[in-house]
Amino acid sequence: MSSENKKTGLLPLLAAAALIVLAAVTGYYWFEAGGRKATPAETMAGTAEAGAGGLRSLATGPLAAFLVHPDPKSLPVIAFQDGDGKPLKLSDWKGRVVLINLWATWCAPCRKEMPDLSRLQTELGSDQFEVVAISVDRKGAAASSAFLRETGAENLKLYVEPTTAIVNELQSPGLPATILVDRQGRERGRLLGPADWASPEAIALIKAVLAEKG
């Protein structure tokens, strides 16, 4: 094999090694449709226009990776179930601000941030706001319910979508993924990877959307 071919063959290996190193730092997991723990990968968090809806300036500190959209984005029809198997749609929350969180029991970063999501729900949860944490775990509702108990997040309602179709519908390449939705059911921004959702920055961001008229 020529030296040129050897160099070419090494490139994919070097790229894979770089991703593994980045994954160890970011704690972001590629989603794997089989429902098992997937390879961690770098958190992706683009840059939005400053001041979009007044939110960009609030995406700081532990929420610095939160991507604020320059304009609100329409979402597809999102269907899932509650813990009893009752069919639900995101449109059922229209008129409320929602923080959607996609997670699974095999996702270590999900386990780490679940208590923060629980504290956020305790702080701001009302008829105007809810943390809608949706398990995409193929193990079913029982395993997901046990996960919430183990992480001390029993105040979060159990929502499941075991077909994992919602992952593609929301265009999330990995877990956890958290999406902020306004009262009109539009996506205002998202964060891929774990974050401290009980932080003052997170609370300020959500309060800003709650304060919006319309």
PDB file of all heavy atoms in Angstrom, residues 43-49 56 59 63-70 190-192:
ATOM      1  N   THR A  43     -21.966  17.899  21.288  1.00  0.00           N
ATOM      2  CA  THR A  43     -23.159  18.727  21.306  1.00  0.00           C
ATOM      3  C   THR A  43     -23.105  19.714  20.161  1.00  0.00           C
ATOM      4  O   THR A  43     -22.113  20.391  19.969  1.00  0.00           O
ATOM      5  CB  THR A  43     -23.251  19.522  22.623  1.00  0.00           C
ATOM      6  OG1 THR A  43     -23.288  18.588  23.695  1.00  0.00           O
ATOM      7  CG2 THR A  43     -24.476  20.409  22.661  1.00  0.00           C
ATOM      8  N   MET A  44     -24.207  19.776  19.402  1.00  0.00           N
ATOM      9  CA  MET A  44     -24.279  20.723  18.298  1.00  0.00           C
ATOM     10  C   MET A  44     -25.210  21.846  18.705  1.00  0.00           C
ATOM     11  O   MET A  44     -26.320  21.611  19.120  1.00  0.00           O
ATOM     12  CB  MET A  44     -24.806  20.016  17.048  1.00  0.00           C
ATOM     13  CG  MET A  44     -23.835  18.969  16.530  1.00  0.00           C
ATOM     14  SD  MET A  44     -24.502  18.085  15.123  1.00  0.00           S
ATOM     15  CE  MET A  44     -25.846  17.223  15.920  1.00  0.00           C
ATOM     16  N   ALA A  45     -24.748  23.062  18.618  1.00  0.00           N
ATOM     17  CA  ALA A  45     -25.549  24.173  19.083  1.00  0.00           C
ATOM     18  C   ALA A  45     -25.267  25.422  18.293  1.00  0.00           C
ATOM     19  O   ALA A  45     -24.627  26.305  18.754  1.00  0.00           O
ATOM     20  CB  ALA A  45     -25.254  24.428  20.558  1.00  0.00           C
ATOM     21  N   GLY A  46     -25.786  25.600  17.128  1.00  0.00           N
ATOM     22  CA  GLY A  46     -25.453  26.711  16.245  1.00  0.00           C
ATOM     23  C   GLY A  46     -25.600  28.068  16.880  1.00  0.00           C
ATOM     24  O   GLY A  46     -25.863  28.195  18.054  1.00  0.00           O
ATOM     25  N   THR A  47     -25.432  29.079  16.089  1.00  0.00           N
ATOM     26  CA  THR A  47     -25.519  30.444  16.574  1.00  0.00           C
ATOM     27  C   THR A  47     -26.698  31.150  15.916  1.00  0.00           C
ATOM     28  O   THR A  47     -26.826  31.149  14.717  1.00  0.00           O
ATOM     29  CB  THR A  47     -24.225  31.214  16.229  1.00  0.00           C
ATOM     30  OG1 THR A  47     -23.128  30.496  16.806  1.00  0.00           O
ATOM     31  CG2 THR A  47     -24.271  32.618  16.766  1.00  0.00           C
ATOM     32  N   ALA A  48     -27.565  31.720  16.733  1.00  0.00           N
ATOM     33  CA  ALA A  48     -28.724  32.429  16.202  1.00  0.00           C
ATOM     34  C   ALA A  48     -28.450  33.931  16.204  1.00  0.00           C
ATOM     35  O   ALA A  48     -27.491  34.409  16.804  1.00  0.00           O
ATOM     36  CB  ALA A  48     -29.957  32.122  17.036  1.00  0.00           C
ATOM     37  N   GLU A  49     -29.282  34.668  15.530  1.00  0.00           N
ATOM     38  CA  GLU A  49     -29.134  36.111  15.504  1.00  0.00           C
ATOM     39  C   GLU A  49     -29.321  36.679  16.895  1.00  0.00           C
ATOM     40  O   GLU A  49     -30.240  36.309  17.619  1.00  0.00           O
ATOM     41  CB  GLU A  49     -30.172  36.721  14.563  1.00  0.00           C
ATOM     42  CG  GLU A  49     -29.951  36.384  13.102  1.00  0.00           C
ATOM     43  CD  GLU A  49     -31.002  36.998  12.229  1.00  0.00           C
ATOM     44  OE1 GLU A  49     -31.787  37.811  12.737  1.00  0.00           O
ATOM     45  OE2 GLU A  49     -31.026  36.661  11.038  1.00  0.00           O
ATOM     46  N   ARG A  56     -32.077  35.694  22.789  1.00  0.00           N
ATOM     47  CA  ARG A  56     -30.664  35.378  22.596  1.00  0.00           C
ATOM     48  C   ARG A  56     -29.810  35.890  23.755  1.00  0.00           C
ATOM     49  O   ARG A  56     -28.871  35.211  24.205  1.00  0.00           O
ATOM     50  CB  ARG A  56     -30.188  35.982  21.273  1.00  0.00           C
ATOM     51  CG  ARG A  56     -28.744  35.712  20.907  1.00  0.00           C
ATOM     52  CD  ARG A  56     -28.452  34.241  20.728  1.00  0.00           C
ATOM     53  NE  ARG A  56     -27.468  33.756  21.683  1.00  0.00           N
ATOM     54  CZ  ARG A  56     -27.137  32.502  21.844  1.00  0.00           C
ATOM     55  NH1 ARG A  56     -27.730  31.560  21.151  1.00  0.00           N
ATOM     56  NH2 ARG A  56     -26.226  32.156  22.717  1.00  0.00           N
ATOM     57  N   ALA A  59     -29.692  33.469  26.679  1.00  0.00           N
ATOM     58  CA  ALA A  59     -29.074  32.152  26.506  1.00  0.00           C
ATOM     59  C   ALA A  59     -27.592  32.248  26.857  1.00  0.00           C
ATOM     60  O   ALA A  59     -26.719  32.283  25.985  1.00  0.00           O
ATOM     61  CB  ALA A  59     -29.266  31.656  25.078  1.00  0.00           C
ATOM     62  N   LEU A  63     -26.813  27.824  29.745  1.00  0.00           N
ATOM     63  CA  LEU A  63     -27.641  27.728  28.547  1.00  0.00           C
ATOM     64  C   LEU A  63     -26.976  28.380  27.338  1.00  0.00           C
ATOM     65  O   LEU A  63     -27.646  28.718  26.367  1.00  0.00           O
ATOM     66  CB  LEU A  63     -29.018  28.365  28.779  1.00  0.00           C
ATOM     67  CG  LEU A  63     -29.980  27.616  29.699  1.00  0.00           C
ATOM     68  CD1 LEU A  63     -31.361  28.226  29.599  1.00  0.00           C
ATOM     69  CD2 LEU A  63     -30.037  26.142  29.394  1.00  0.00           C
ATOM     70  N   ALA A  64     -25.669  28.538  27.382  1.00  0.00           N
ATOM     71  CA  ALA A  64     -24.960  29.180  26.281  1.00  0.00           C
ATOM     72  C   ALA A  64     -25.105  28.397  24.977  1.00  0.00           C
ATOM     73  O   ALA A  64     -24.996  28.967  23.891  1.00  0.00           O
ATOM     74  CB  ALA A  64     -23.484  29.334  26.631  1.00  0.00           C
ATOM     75  N   ALA A  65     -25.373  27.090  25.075  1.00  0.00           N
ATOM     76  CA  ALA A  65     -25.531  26.262  23.873  1.00  0.00           C
ATOM     77  C   ALA A  65     -26.958  26.263  23.344  1.00  0.00           C
ATOM     78  O   ALA A  65     -27.240  25.599  22.349  1.00  0.00           O
ATOM     79  CB  ALA A  65     -25.095  24.823  24.167  1.00  0.00           C
ATOM     80  N   PHE A  66     -27.854  27.005  23.980  1.00  0.00           N
ATOM     81  CA  PHE A  66     -29.248  27.052  23.534  1.00  0.00           C
ATOM     82  C   PHE A  66     -29.337  27.853  22.232  1.00  0.00           C
ATOM     83  O   PHE A  66     -28.947  29.014  22.170  1.00  0.00           O
ATOM     84  CB  PHE A  66     -30.129  27.693  24.607  1.00  0.00           C
ATOM     85  CG  PHE A  66     -31.599  27.660  24.288  1.00  0.00           C
ATOM     86  CD1 PHE A  66     -32.365  26.558  24.595  1.00  0.00           C
ATOM     87  CD2 PHE A  66     -32.215  28.743  23.671  1.00  0.00           C
ATOM     88  CE1 PHE A  66     -33.722  26.517  24.310  1.00  0.00           C
ATOM     89  CE2 PHE A  66     -33.568  28.721  23.377  1.00  0.00           C
ATOM     90  CZ  PHE A  66     -34.324  27.600  23.701  1.00  0.00           C
ATOM     91  N   LEU A  67     -29.853  27.229  21.192  1.00  0.00           N
ATOM     92  CA  LEU A  67     -29.982  27.858  19.878  1.00  0.00           C
ATOM     93  C   LEU A  67     -31.318  28.573  19.773  1.00  0.00           C
ATOM     94  O   LEU A  67     -32.373  27.944  19.760  1.00  0.00           O
ATOM     95  CB  LEU A  67     -29.869  26.799  18.784  1.00  0.00           C
ATOM     96  CG  LEU A  67     -30.217  27.249  17.360  1.00  0.00           C
ATOM     97  CD1 LEU A  67     -29.261  28.334  16.889  1.00  0.00           C
ATOM     98  CD2 LEU A  67     -30.193  26.060  16.413  1.00  0.00           C
ATOM     99  N   VAL A  68     -31.278  29.888  19.715  1.00  0.00           N
ATOM    100  CA  VAL A  68     -32.493  30.696  19.556  1.00  0.00           C
ATOM    101  C   VAL A  68     -32.734  30.920  18.072  1.00  0.00           C
ATOM    102  O   VAL A  68     -31.861  31.411  17.361  1.00  0.00           O
ATOM    103  CB  VAL A  68     -32.352  32.048  20.282  1.00  0.00           C
ATOM    104  CG1 VAL A  68     -33.599  32.902  20.057  1.00  0.00           C
ATOM    105  CG2 VAL A  68     -32.112  31.838  21.772  1.00  0.00           C
ATOM    106  N   HIS A  69     -33.911  30.581  17.584  1.00  0.00           N
ATOM    107  CA  HIS A  69     -34.218  30.780  16.175  1.00  0.00           C
ATOM    108  C   HIS A  69     -34.505  32.261  15.896  1.00  0.00           C
ATOM    109  O   HIS A  69     -35.213  32.914  16.669  1.00  0.00           O
ATOM    110  CB  HIS A  69     -35.438  29.946  15.768  1.00  0.00           C
ATOM    111  CG  HIS A  69     -35.235  28.474  15.965  1.00  0.00           C
ATOM    112  ND1 HIS A  69     -34.138  27.793  15.493  1.00  0.00           N
ATOM    113  CD2 HIS A  69     -36.005  27.544  16.596  1.00  0.00           C
ATOM    114  CE1 HIS A  69     -34.230  26.519  15.821  1.00  0.00           C
ATOM    115  NE2 HIS A  69     -35.348  26.342  16.496  1.00  0.00           N
ATOM    116  N   PRO A  70     -34.006  32.785  14.813  1.00  0.00           N
ATOM    117  CA  PRO A  70     -34.301  34.171  14.452  1.00  0.00           C
ATOM    118  C   PRO A  70     -35.803  34.418  14.332  1.00  0.00           C
ATOM    119  O   PRO A  70     -36.296  35.482  14.679  1.00  0.00           O
ATOM    120  CB  PRO A  70     -33.592  34.344  13.104  1.00  0.00           C
ATOM    121  CG  PRO A  70     -32.502  33.335  13.123  1.00  0.00           C
ATOM    122  CD  PRO A  70     -33.052  32.162  13.879  1.00  0.00           C
ATOM    123  N   ARG A 190     -33.735  25.488  20.774  1.00  0.00           N
ATOM    124  CA  ARG A 190     -33.469  24.139  21.281  1.00  0.00           C
ATOM    125  C   ARG A 190     -32.041  24.027  21.784  1.00  0.00           C
ATOM    126  O   ARG A 190     -31.168  24.818  21.435  1.00  0.00           O
ATOM    127  CB  ARG A 190     -33.720  23.097  20.202  1.00  0.00           C
ATOM    128  CG  ARG A 190     -32.810  23.201  18.983  1.00  0.00           C
ATOM    129  CD  ARG A 190     -32.987  22.006  18.047  1.00  0.00           C
ATOM    130  NE  ARG A 190     -34.357  21.864  17.556  1.00  0.00           N
ATOM    131  CZ  ARG A 190     -34.829  20.749  16.996  1.00  0.00           C
ATOM    132  NH1 ARG A 190     -34.023  19.696  16.854  1.00  0.00           N
ATOM    133  NH2 ARG A 190     -36.073  20.689  16.556  1.00  0.00           N
ATOM    134  N   LEU A 191     -31.839  23.006  22.584  1.00  0.00           N
ATOM    135  CA  LEU A 191     -30.516  22.702  23.091  1.00  0.00           C
ATOM    136  C   LEU A 191     -30.303  21.206  22.959  1.00  0.00           C
ATOM    137  O   LEU A 191     -31.120  20.418  23.432  1.00  0.00           O
ATOM    138  CB  LEU A 191     -30.360  23.149  24.547  1.00  0.00           C
ATOM    139  CG  LEU A 191     -28.932  23.186  25.099  1.00  0.00           C
ATOM    140  CD1 LEU A 191     -28.827  24.215  26.213  1.00  0.00           C
ATOM    141  CD2 LEU A 191     -28.485  21.829  25.622  1.00  0.00           C
ATOM    142  N   LEU A 192     -29.211  20.812  22.299  1.00  0.00           N
ATOM    143  CA  LEU A 192     -28.870  19.413  22.127  1.00  0.00           C
ATOM    144  C   LEU A 192     -27.767  19.059  23.110  1.00  0.00           C
ATOM    145  O   LEU A 192     -26.684  19.621  23.062  1.00  0.00           O
ATOM    146  CB  LEU A 192     -28.412  19.146  20.693  1.00  0.00           C
ATOM    147  CG  LEU A 192     -29.424  19.544  19.602  1.00  0.00           C
ATOM    148  CD1 LEU A 192     -28.867  19.236  18.224  1.00  0.00           C
ATOM    149  CD2 LEU A 192     -30.753  18.836  19.806  1.00  0.00           C
TER     150      LEU A 192
END
